[in-house]
Amino acid sequence: MSAAVANPFSLGPAIRFAGLMAVIMFASALAERYLAPEALVAVGALSGLADVDAITVSMAERSLAEAARLDVAAAAIVAAALVNTGVKYGLAATAGGRVMARLLAPATAVSLLAALAAAWLRL
């Protein structure tokens, strides 16, 4: 049985990332304009369901414009990373079954707790 290899020059992944990036930037601009700046943390958590890269780039760009919002940008990125880690654990546990879930649970828990501790110490 051989695995199918995708074309490395395919534009599909780049187009999907660009679309996700546009949606995240639009959502973060709306949240920042119409809601409290802390609403960006919720946008970060929602974007973590799919990807961490888009919110990281978006928050880095926003924090360059206003250094005062660096804490909010960092919190949004941490929220995205936490949610994304949870989603990836869930996918691996679903695909791999109970054995995989048991094997990954300790490392996932440690990484989530470390991220929460780092975020708490930073705030």
Side-chain angles (χ1 to χ4, degrees):
M1 182 165 94
S2 66
V5 177
N7 181 357
F9 299 109
S10 173
L11 290 178
I15 291 171
R16 281 191 295 276
F17 179 76
L20 180 61
M21 182 72 185
V23 168
I24 296 300
M25 291 185 82
F26 183 69
S28 61
L30 286 176
E32 194 171 29
R33 178 170 291 186
Y34 296 111
L35 303 171
E38 290 75 20
L40 291 173
V41 177
V43 172
L46 287 174
S47 75
L49 292 171
D51 188 37
V52 178
D53 298 332
I55 194 69
T56 302
V57 171
S58 178
M59 291 298 106
E61 189 174 284
R62 288 202 182 292
S63 66
L64 285 176
E66 291 185 52
R69 301 209 177 174
L70 192 58
D71 286 345
V72 174
I77 293 168
V78 168
L82 288 170
V83 169
N84 193 262
T85 300
V87 167
K88 287 181 180 178
Y89 171 76
L91 290 171
T94 301
R98 288 184 183 172
V99 173
M100 181 67 77
R102 262 187 264 126
L103 287 172
L104 291 176
T108 302
V110 167
S111 66
L112 291 175
L113 289 173
L116 287 171
W120 183 74
L121 289 173
R122 175 72 172 113
L123 300 175

